Amino acid sequence: MNSFGRIFRIHIFGESHGESVGLTIDGCPAGLSLSVEDFLADIERRKGGAKGTTPRKEDDLPIFKSGLFNNKTTGAPITILFENNNTRSTDYAKQRSFPRPGHADFVASKKYGGHEDYRGGGHFSGRLTVCLVAAGVIAKKLLGQVKVESKILEIGGEPDIEKGLQKAIDAKDTIGGIVECRVAGLPIGLGEPFFDSAESVISHAVFAIPAVRGIEFGTGFEAARMFGSVHNDAIENAAGKTVTNHAGGIVGGITNGNELVFRIAIKPTSSTPKEQQTLNWETGEVDTFSVKGRHDLCIALRVPVVLEAVTAFVLADLLMLENRINRIV
Amino acid sequence: MNSFGRIFRIHIFGESHGESVGLTIDGCPAGLSLSVEDFLADIERRKGGAKGTTPRKEDDLPIFKSGLFNNKTTGAPITILFENNNTRSTDYAKQRSFPRPGHADFVASKKYGGHEDYRGGGHFSGRLTVCLVAAGVIAKKLLGQVKVESKILEIGGEPDIEKGLQKAIDAKDTIGGIVECRVAGLPIGLGEPFFDSAESVISHAVFAIPAVRGIEFGTGFEAARMFGSVHNDAIENAAGKTVTNHAGGIVGGITNGNELVFRIAIKPTSSTPKEQQTLNWETGEVDTFSVKGRHDLCIALRVPVVLEAVTAFVLADLLMLENRINRIV
Amino acid sequence: MNSFGRIFRIHIFGESHGESVGLTIDGCPAGLSLSVEDFLADIERRKGGAKGTTPRKEDDLPIFKSGLFNNKTTGAPITILFENNNTRSTDYAKQRSFPRPGHADFVASKKYGGHEDYRGGGHFSGRLTVCLVAAGVIAKKLLGQVKVESKILEIGGEPDIEKGLQKAIDAKDTIGGIVECRVAGLPIGLGEPFFDSAESVISHAVFAIPAVRGIEFGTGFEAARMFGSVHNDAIENAAGKTVTNHAGGIVGGITNGNELVFRIAIKPTSSTPKEQQTLNWETGEVDTFSVKGRHDLCIALRVPVVLEAVTAFVLADLLMLENRINRIV
Amino acid sequence: MNSFGRIFRIHIFGESHGESVGLTIDGCPAGLSLSVEDFLADIERRKGGAKGTTPRKEDDLPIFKSGLFNNKTTGAPITILFENNNTRSTDYAKQRSFPRPGHADFVASKKYGGHEDYRGGGHFSGRLTVCLVAAGVIAKKLLGQVKVESKILEIGGEPDIEKGLQKAIDAKDTIGGIVECRVAGLPIGLGEPFFDSAESVISHAVFAIPAVRGIEFGTGFEAARMFGSVHNDAIENAAGKTVTNHAGGIVGGITNGNELVFRIAIKPTSSTPKEQQTLNWETGEVDTFSVKGRHDLCIALRVPVVLEAVTAFVLADLLMLENRINRIV
C-alpha cells in the first residue's frame, strides 16, 4: 500500500526520526544515466530554510543502494536512502500526551495499536516527500520532451505570495495555499475510460502528498457554474488542438494532447505556533496545548517540487503502459 | 484497467449502444441476500426522464448471470448485465464526422486507432454508470451501519436547484453543478499513510464518474485560505470526536471516525443543444455542428446516486482490507 | 482473485449449472478481428464426447457481449458468455450429503459457509475451462509467429495413450496423465528475475487448471539427478541458441529464445465410477458412496487445448509487458 | 515485478557484488516483536561453508532501516539491508567474455541492453535469497501454530544425502536434488478456485527461488499414473481429516486442513568446476570455458530454509487475506 504504479513502480519507506527514509523504484528502464548531481536541484527546491519554512535542514544527498552500475540504471530495482541527521526527538517525546490536532497522531495510534513510531509524525511525516522528489527526478529524465512545471498560485487567498505569507507571520499562525501543475508535450491517449482515467491516477498519487485537501482539473470547480456551450473546448485541427483548454488536457479520462493543467489546495500547516485546546490523552480532558519542534508556517511553499515529482512519475508510468518509453533507454 | 478494488473488486464492461452493459464483482462475501428488488430504488434514482435529464429511459432490471444461489451471494464472482433496449444508433452515425467537443470521440479514435465503438460514446458512455450503481447497491448492503448519502449542493452556482436548472432551460444550454457526499458511522483507521490514503482511493474511483472535474475533502479549496489555528479540528474526547470537522473525516490519509465529507464538481453536459464551431474530420476544417441524440441538460442531477455507489464500494473494500467485514456474512 | 494478467487481463465467472459461464478480457489491443469461427476449432478440441470423456456436450458457441465492433476488438473490455444448456442438476442434489472425495465440495462448504452453488461443482467446475480456452483463442491470434502446442505424453504411465486409457476402462476406474506444452518463436527477455520469473507466471496460471498436481520445466525433476556439466546448455551462437535445451527455454527466470518446454501432471478424475468409503455429512459417519453424473474417465485427454490456452494468454501478457505487441494491431 | 503478496507484500532489491541486498515488507501487522536474534538461526542455515557449499561467507546481520520502533513492528514498511562484504568482483570481470551456461548472463544482457550489473550474477544472484529468508523469519512469527518445515529428500537421486554429495565430489562436478516442504496446522479455506489457487500462489513464489525446475503437490507426477479410486482421499470426519493425503492438503485450489506437502526439483549448480564448451562473446565462436569464483557443489543443500521462508510468507499473505491474522498482533 506504500506503492504506486503499474510498470514504473515507487515504494517508499522510513520515518521522520528513524535512521533514514528511502524508496525503491522497480520497473525503471535500463540504461538511464543517473548521478547524485541529477538530484541536487529538485532536492534543494524541497528543502526548508527559506522564509516561512522549517529551519530543520538535511543534507539530503541520495545514497544509491541498488539498481545502478557504471552510473546507469540496470533495469533492476533502484533503492535510494536519505539519512536523517538533523532530528530532535526529545521535542516530540514531550508532546506525546497530546495527539496533535490536524496530525495523524490520533489515527495512527488507533490504527497501529500504539505501536507506531510517533516521533515527528513517524512514517506519516512530510519528511518522506524527499522520496517522492527523488522518484520524480528519475521520472523527469524519462519524460524527455514532456515538461512538468508547478508553481504557487496563491497563499492565504493572495496571489501575491509575499503578501499572503506576511498575513501568517503577522498573525503568528500558519496558512494554506494553492499550487498549480502544468505539463506540456504529452501525447494523446494516456489514461483509461473509467477506473484508471488520467484524473484517477493523478489524483490517487497527488493525495499521497500530505496536506492536500482538493484537486481540480482545467476549470475545475468553476466548471460547475458554466454553460456547456462555454465550457466545451472546440477542436481546431486534426492534431486535436483546442481553441480553449477548459478540460485541462483530459477528456473522457484520456489525455487529448493539449496542456495538462490541474491545481491542488494545501491546508495550513497543522503545527501552528498558536495555543490550541485539544484532548490530553493522559487526563482524558481537553487541555491547552502548543506545538514544539521546528515547522513550516506555510507548507504550500515547499509543495511545487513535490507535485512536479508525483506528476512526473504518474506520467512515466502511463507512458510506459502505452509503450511510449522503451524498456532500454 | 476497467477494475477497481483490492479485495472487493469491480469490473465493468459494455457499450452504450451494444447489446448490454455489465459488471463483475469479485471478492464479495458469501451469504449476502440479493434480489432484483434491492436494485430498484437506486437504479430508479439514476434514471433519466425528469426535468433536465435525458428522455432515454431503460428498464434497467439487473440480470444475474453468476455468483448467486438461492438468492444469496456464493462467494464466487457476481456478474450482472443490463440490457440496452432503447438505443437509436442512427442518431450517432450521422454525427461521426464531428468529434463532439467535450466528448471522448477524438481521444478514443486516436487511442484505439478508429476501432472504438463510437455509437453513443461506446464504452465511454455515462450509460456504464448503471454498473457503478449496481455495485453500490451490493456494497451498501455490506456497509451495515455505515450510511452513505449524496445530494446536489448547487446547479450553475445556485443553491436553489430549480433556479439553477431554469438558467439552463432559459439559455437553451447545459449546465454544471456540485454534489456532496457524506458518510456517517465509519470506523477509525481506514486508508494508508501515503499512496493508498483514503482520499487517494476515493478520488481514484470518483474520477471514474464521467464529467467530474474536481474533488475536495472537508473544507477543501477553502482550506487554502485559512489559518492553521482555525482549520485544525480540536479533538474533544478519547473516541476522537472533533469539535469542528474541517478535515472532512480524514487525517493523515486515515479516517478519524468523524463524518466523511467531500464534494465534487460536475461540468456541464458536453452535448449542449447550442450550435458549436469545431473540427469536421471529413473536411479537416472547422465547421458548424449541433448535437443530435437525447441528452441531459444537467448531468449533475443524476450524479448523487452514482457518487454514493462509488463511495460505497470504495469503503466496502477498505473495510474488508481492515478485516471489518467478514468473508461470510 | 478470479483474474490473471497485468496488461492482458482475464477474468472468469460462472457456475457449472448456472445459466452460463463467461469471461472478460481487459487490455486486449484494438483492431484484432474476431469472429465465432475463430473459436470453433479449439472449443471443439475441449469438448467431451470422445472415448474416455464425459457424454455431456454443450454447443459452446461464444456469445459476444462487449468489446467488439464491426467484428474487431475495440480496445474496451471483451465479455463473452457460454450458455449452460445441458445440465442435470438433480444428479447433484442427490449427492449433496456426500462431499465428494477429491472434489472441492468440502472445502467450498467451509470457505463459503455453505452458500456455494454446489451443483456440479459450481464455480469450481471444469466447465469454466471453456472460458480459459476462449481467452486462449484471442491470445493465440495476438501471438503471431509464436506457436503454442500441447499434447498428451502419457496416460496411466503409458506413452501409448490408447493402452493407458484401456487400463482405466478395464479397471472401471479413472486415470491420470501427463501433458506437455511447447512454444516456438519466443523472443529473448520475457519474465523477471525473481517473483515474476517466466516459470512463476506460467505455473501460477497453469495451476488454475483443475486437476494439475505438478509442473516441470525442461528436464524438470530429472534435473535433480543430473550433474551440472551434463545439465548446462552450452550456447552455440550469438543469437543464444543452445546445443541442448535442458533448461526448457528459461534461464534465470527469463526466456532465452530457445523452445519453451514444460510438462504438467494431471491427476485421475475424482469422479470415479468405483464405490468409495467417505464421510456422509448427514450422519457424520463414513459411508459407501458412488458418484452420479456424467464424467470423464481421463480428464487429461481434454487438457491439452486448455494448457495451450493458458500458456498463450500468459505469453500474450508477457509480450505486452515488453512492448512486443502493439496497443493497436 | 520484484514484489510478491497482496496484503503481506515482499519487495527485494540489490546485487551480488553491490554494497548490499535488501527487502521491504509492506503490510506486516503492527506490534510484532522483532530483533536481530530472531534472524540468526535461519540465516545461519542458509549460509555456505559446509561440505558441498560455497566458501563465501557473509556475516549477514540484518540492518533495520525502517518499520521498527521499540523492537516492535509499527505497521509501516519494514526495510532491512544485508551488507555484501565478502565479494571478489575481479573473479567475475575476467569471465565477462563468456555468458556462463545455465546462468542469466546471456538473457540479462539481452533484456537490459548490456546495462545489467553482471558481477556475480548481479540482481539474479542467489545472494538475494538472504532477503527471502529474512521475509520468512518475519512471516513465521506471524504464523503462530502453523509450522513450516523443509528438508532434502535426495541428492543426485540418492536418498542418502552424503552418498549423493560424494558422487558430485568424486565426479568433480555439481549436482541437483529434491527438497520437500510440509506445513502443519493450516486452516481450511486458503486459496481461491482458479487463478489464485493455493498451488498457484505457492508455485509463483517458489519459482522465484533460483535453480527450481519443477514443483509437485501431494502425489504430484506420480498421480498421473494412478487410478482415481486409489488417488482420492476419503474424508473421515467432519473436520475434513482424510485417510490418505495424496492431494497434499489442497483440493480445488483450497487448503483442506490436512498437512500441506509439496516437493521441488533443484537443478545442479550451473557453476560446475568442469570445463565447458560455450560461446565466447568476444570472438563469436564456441570456446573452452571454466568457471572462476566460489560456488556450491550442490545448491540444493542450502534451499530448505529458503523454501520454508517463501512458503511462510505466501501463507502469511493467504492467512491475512482470510482475516486469520490480525492487523495488530
Side-chain angles (χ1 to χ4, degrees), chain D residues 7-280:
Chain D
I7 304 284
F8 185 81
R9 287 179 305 288
I10 319 294
H11 313 280
I12 63 172
F13 53 85
E15 289 84 23
S16 179
H17 289 221
E19 186 192 306
S20 54
V21 297
L23 73 152
T24 297
I25 298 180
D26 196 15
C28 183
L32 184 74
S33 69
L34 212 56
S35 68
V36 168
E37 287 66 33
D38 289 323
F39 292 79
L40 299 182
D42 273 1
I43 284 179
E44 191 61 33
R45 289 172 66 200
R46 179 193 163 276
K47 276 186 192 172
K51 185 166 109 176
T53 65
T54 174
R56 171 178 171 181
K57 288 200 68 165
E58 295 278 2
D59 280 344
D60 285 345
L61 294 180
I63 303 169
F64 302 121
K65 287 289 177 181
S66 70
L68 287 180
F69 185 52
N70 297 332
N71 304 315
K72 290 193 174 175
T73 59
T74 62
I78 302 163
T79 297
I80 301 174
L81 298 184
F82 293 93
E83 291 181 351
N84 295 328
N85 297 310
N86 196 344
T87 55
R88 294 195 199 156
S89 296
T90 49
D91 286 352
Y92 293 91
K94 286 182 204 147
Q95 293 173 192
R96 180 61 175 162
S97 53
F98 287 89
R100 294 168 299 163
H103 280 282
D105 298 352
F106 184 84
V107 294
S109 174
K110 293 290 182 184
K111 185 175 179 76
Y112 302 116
H115 299 292
E116 74 282 3
D117 180 349
Y118 53 80
R119 300 167 302 162
H123 181 58
F124 287 83
S125 169
R127 173 71 184 138
L128 277 93
T129 58
V130 71
C131 307
L132 304 180
V133 170
V137 165
I138 297 173
K140 284 175 181 177
K141 293 196 76 162
L142 291 171
L143 291 183
Q145 293 311 309
V146 176
K147 297 301 176 195
V148 182
E149 291 189 5
S150 289
K151 64 174 182 186
I152 298 170
L153 288 193
E154 57 175 70
I155 297 293
E158 307 282 349
D160 176 335
I161 292 164
E162 282 296 320
K163 204 169 151 192
L165 195 55
Q166 196 59 44
K167 276 169 69 170
I169 293 169
D170 293 346
K172 294 192 171 56
D173 208 339
T174 58
I175 202 153
I178 291 178
V179 182
E180 184 177 73
C181 187
R182 288 175 177 265
V183 186
L186 281 177
I188 301 171
L190 305 185
E192 299 295 321
F194 284 89
F195 292 123
D196 281 354
S197 74
E199 298 104 322
S200 288
V201 290
I202 291 170
S203 65
H204 188 135
V206 163
F207 276 112
I209 304 173
V212 177
R213 305 312 297 149
I215 186 169
E216 59 177 11
F217 292 83
T219 45
F221 276 85
E222 186 55 30
R225 300 178 184 100
M226 292 168 80
F227 286 121
S229 62
V230 177
H231 185 270
N232 279 351
D233 299 312
I235 302 173
E236 61 174 317
N237 65 25
K241 190 175 177 327
T242 55
V243 178
T244 49
N245 186 17
H246 297 136
I250 303 174
V251 175
I254 316 290
T255 57
N256 68 2
N258 291 277
E259 193 179 32
L260 172 65
V261 185
F262 65 94
R263 285 169 301 284
I264 61 174
I266 304 293
K267 71 174 184 180
T269 316
S270 299
S271 292
T272 169
K274 292 244 183 226
E275 281 198 347
Q276 302 175 70
Q277 293 290 313
T278 197
L279 177 73
N280 180 326

Side-chain angles (χ1 to χ4, degrees), chain A residues 6-7 9 321 323 325 327, chain C residues 6-7 9 321 323 325 327:
Chain A
R6 289 183 57 207
I7 304 284
R9 288 179 304 288
L321 274 166
N323 290 356
I325 297 176
R327 295 298 184 260
Chain C
R6 290 183 57 205
I7 304 283
R9 286 180 305 289
L321 274 166
N323 290 355
I325 296 176
R327 295 297 185 261

Side-chain angles (χ1 to χ4, degrees), chain B residues 6-7 9 321 323 327, chain D residues 6-7 9 321 323 327:
Chain B
R6 288 183 58 205
I7 303 283
R9 288 178 305 288
L321 274 167
N323 290 355
R327 296 296 184 262
Chain D
R6 289 184 57 205
I7 304 284
R9 287 179 305 288
L321 274 167
N323 290 356
R327 295 297 184 261

